[in-house]
Amino acid sequence: MRVRRVIGALLLAVFVSAPVLADERDDAKAQVQFGIRVAQLGLWREAVTHWERAVKLDPTYAPAYNNLAIGYEHQGDFEKARNAYEKALELSPNNAYIKQNYELFREINDRTNKQDGR
Amino acid sequence: MTARISRTVVSLAAVLAAACTSYYEIPIETPIRAKLDVGAFQRVLVAGFLAGGSDDVDGNLETTRLLRSQLRTKSDLRVIDADVLPLIEVAGGERKAPTDATTPAPAGNPIKNDKDIDQYQHVFANTEYWKKIGEEYQQPLIVTGTVLFTSREQTQMQQREQEVFDTLGRRRTVAERRLVERKGFGLQGRFIFIDGRTGATLHSQNFTESILYDANRQTPALSSYFELMDKLIPNFLATLSSQKIKGTRILLN
């Protein structure tokens, strides 16, 4: 009886929270998509603003962090780019695209650090 | 049974998730900031180098020419055309005054190795000298340094696969290791960046590169020199001007 009640409560919680979570993911996706469109037009600063909004709306959305990392990389902000790539990989460790982007970023970052003698 | 169902559900979910993710390849340009702030200078003087090693290449002349031509096309600074400074003579003159005008100068380049170069390095610390040069050319950024281009020989272990056939005619490969002699060149030294207004050193960076070829390959020294300099130029330019590295990344949705 008690088990049934717990399961019932859990199911209720899932059903109530699911639309809310879905809304946030949808809003984040919309921001990410818009960011991609403006980045393709070369408006990187605006793209970054949209991807920043997306990660605020849904902090578990790995593609938003991936795109944000690329945006930061394009702006030369290597520290922020690294953090965003690492967060994207933490959320989606097996995503081959994120891994590839991160590898390419690290290659440049390591080379710069080597030049600086860091 | 339950485990099988859950496995199927998980793999279906993974396939669906992958299918829902769109990706867009996008070109990006990653900016790399210059190591040295050269905002205070509009002109650059590649003055000359303390050079030595192989007699086949005039390291002073070739390095000065090469860096000037690279800076002309790849930096915003105006490159000053001037005679290349004979830094060995300048440093030698500082060390001891000429004794007798009739005494013949030593034949060939006196710098053969890095120890020889050390004897002349004090010229870079002579701020008065560099300040004077700076005044002569309207206080530019001065590029100088040391270049030692030497021939190298090395014996290396090389491994190669060799085909052998046994008594039954069956083919197999065995690794054969042998010592091979390789010849080439090495380039080492230092780029020094001096403030033409004060004569003080702003920045210096060491470099070492080498290249080895098969012993029977005849590669001209000058061509090897340029091959080695090609490897150093990007680092040199990155000191003075910011660069953009072109690449592509994948945007996800």
Side-chain angles (χ1 to χ4, degrees):
Chain A
M1 190 65 184
R2 204 174 155 190
V3 175
R4 268 192 200 166
R5 228 179 285 155
V6 171
I7 292 172
L10 273 172
L11 281 172
L12 189 69
V14 167
F15 282 123
V16 169
S17 63
V20 178
L21 290 173
D23 279 353
E24 279 165 355
R25 174 57 58 97
D26 286 346
D27 289 347
K29 270 198 154 193
Q31 290 291 338
V32 164
Q33 189 56 47
F34 195 77
I36 291 172
R37 232 177 291 155
V38 291
Q40 285 170 328
L41 295 171
L43 305 168
W44 283 92
R45 202 180 291 176
E46 198 177 336
V48 165
T49 311
H50 287 283
W51 294 327
E52 280 175 343
R53 256 181 233 160
V55 299
K56 267 187 198 154
L57 283 165
D58 185 355
T60 63
Y61 189 31
Y65 282 104
N66 169 74
N67 298 358
L68 189 55
I70 296 170
Y72 287 145
E73 197 184 341
H74 188 85
Q75 292 178 340
D77 198 334
F78 286 9
E79 192 58 40
K80 280 186 177 176
R82 177 184 287 277
N83 291 339
Y85 274 128
E86 284 173 358
K87 184 72 186 173
L89 278 172
E90 188 189 310
L91 294 167
S92 185
N94 298 319
N95 189 309
Y97 295 125
I98 302 176
K99 275 190 201 169
Q100 185 190 323
N101 287 334
Y102 186 48
E103 281 305 311
L104 291 169
F105 161 75
R106 270 183 48 185
E107 206 182 298
I108 294 174
N109 194 38
D110 291 351
R111 204 191 311 166
T112 317
N113 290 345
K114 199 175 142 192
Q115 278 175 16
D116 289 353
R118 271 183 254 162
Chain B
M1 187 68 180
T2 320
R4 212 167 141 190
I5 291 169
S6 60
R7 260 205 307 271
T8 315
V9 169
V10 167
S11 38
L12 266 174
V15 169
L16 272 173
C20 291
T21 307
S22 323
Y23 66 90
Y24 308 82
E25 195 170 338
I26 193 158
I28 70 158
E29 288 185 349
T30 310
I32 309 284
R33 271 192 296 270
K35 277 177 271 176
L36 195 61
D37 181 10
V38 292
F41 304 99
Q42 286 176 332
R43 296 145 64 90
V44 59
L45 171 71
V46 184
F49 290 82
L50 274 181
S54 165
D55 287 332
D56 297 330
V57 173
D58 184 339
N60 183 15
L61 198 64
E62 297 299 345
T63 309
T64 306
R65 275 186 193 158
L66 183 65
L67 295 187
R68 281 181 186 175
S69 97
Q70 288 291 322
L71 287 169
R72 244 179 234 122
T73 53
K74 289 171 187 155
S75 98
D76 298 330
L77 293 163
R78 241 183 80 201
V79 180
I80 298 169
D81 270 317
D83 290 339
V84 179
L85 291 178
L87 281 186
I88 295 176
E89 286 172 30
V90 175
E94 271 175 18
R95 217 163 29 144
K96 53 178 181 186
T99 47
D100 180 4
T102 56
T103 309
N109 191 328
I111 297 176
K112 297 290 173 209
N113 53 43
D114 45 0
K115 277 183 190 143
D116 292 338
I117 278 194
D118 285 345
Q119 292 178 31
Y120 297 90
Q121 295 254 26
H122 57 89
V123 71
F124 301 119
N126 187 344
T127 50
E128 280 310 309
Y129 172 74
W130 293 109
K131 198 174 164 185
K132 218 174 103 193
I133 296 285
E135 277 164 9
E136 207 175 311
Y137 294 100
Q138 296 170 3
Q139 301 174 326
L141 172 72
I142 299 170
V143 178
T144 180
T146 64
V147 175
L148 189 67
F149 180 69
T150 49
S151 59
R152 299 211 173 153
E153 275 181 41
Q154 206 176 329
T155 310
Q156 285 180 333
M157 188 64 81
Q158 200 178 55
Q159 187 170 321
R160 66 172 186 177
E161 301 286 311
Q162 202 176 14
E163 261 186 1
V164 289
F165 294 90
D166 63 15
T167 48
L168 296 169
R170 285 175 301 197
R171 187 182 74 89
R172 67 188 176 98
T173 51
V174 285
E176 189 196 61
R177 298 181 79 188
R178 63 190 184 122
L179 284 170
V180 287
E181 201 161 300
R182 289 165 70 78
K183 284 182 180 174
F185 293 92
L187 190 63
Q188 66 180 87
R190 191 154 63 111
F191 292 127
I192 299 171
F193 300 86
I194 292 173
D195 187 336
R197 298 165 301 183
T198 61
T201 297
L202 293 172
H203 177 75
S204 77
Q205 66 187 65
N206 295 328
F207 57 83
T208 309
E209 285 289 347
S210 66
I211 194 161
L212 291 168
Y213 314 97
D214 282 342
N216 50 10
R217 195 174 140 182
Q218 297 296 321
T219 308
L222 193 59
S223 126
S224 280
Y225 164 82
F226 284 119
E227 211 173 329
L228 291 168
M229 280 304 284
D230 265 357
K231 296 182 189 179
L232 301 171
I233 293 289
N235 251 352
F236 169 78
L237 291 173
T239 309
L240 299 177
S241 49
S242 51
Q243 292 182 311
K244 283 189 173 174
I245 299 179
K246 288 182 182 173
T248 53
R249 300 287 184 274
I250 309 287
L251 292 172
L252 302 172
N253 189 12

